[in-house]
Amino acid sequence: KQNNTNSNNSNNNTSSDNGQMLKCTNCAGKLEDTHFVQCPSNMQHKFCFSCCRESIIKQGNNEAFCPSGDKCPLAGSTVPWAFMQEEITTILDMNTSNIKDKS
């Protein structure tokens, strides 16, 4: 398991390398700055906290995998990436009114 939030990422750009706006893989909402979750196994998988929260609740908060619905394996492994318990707690404890609207 790895820390997968990008809140400490030094790249403050909301665009991908090809200049397109970064959008949540699940809801297609605009991703703000570096405040999103990046799947470490699939660089195309990027998620807003609202979709992460919904996915964690849906999967049950004991072990939650990539919000895409895939169990994306970690590089060089067959073990799927999953949120760390601390990440689950942080995301579930977020006040839903503080999570950006998906527009």
Side-chain angles (χ1 to χ4, degrees), residues 89-103:
T89 301
T90 299
I91 291 170
L92 291 179
D93 286 349
M94 287 180 165
N95 183 339
T96 54
S97 65
N98 290 339
I99 297 175
K100 272 242 181 238
D101 190 9
K102 295 180 184 179
S103 56

Side-chain angles (χ1 to χ4, degrees), residues 43-101:
M43 293 298 111
Q44 300 303 311
H45 290 174
K46 295 170 177 59
F47 306 95
C48 66
F49 286 113
S50 183
C51 285
C52 290
R53 188 173 194 277
E54 289 174 20
S55 177
I56 290 167
I57 291 168
K58 188 177 183 180
Q59 293 182 62
N61 60 6
N62 285 335
E63 193 164 36
F65 302 99
C66 181
S68 68
D70 298 336
K71 289 190 177 179
C72 302
L74 291 168
S77 174
T78 58
V79 176
W81 165 76
F83 285 96
M84 296 187 323
Q85 191 59 50
E86 182 179 287
E87 294 168 326
I88 291 171
T89 301
T90 299
I91 291 170
L92 291 179
D93 286 349
M94 287 180 165
N95 183 339
T96 54
S97 65
N98 290 339
I99 297 175
K100 272 242 181 238
D101 190 9

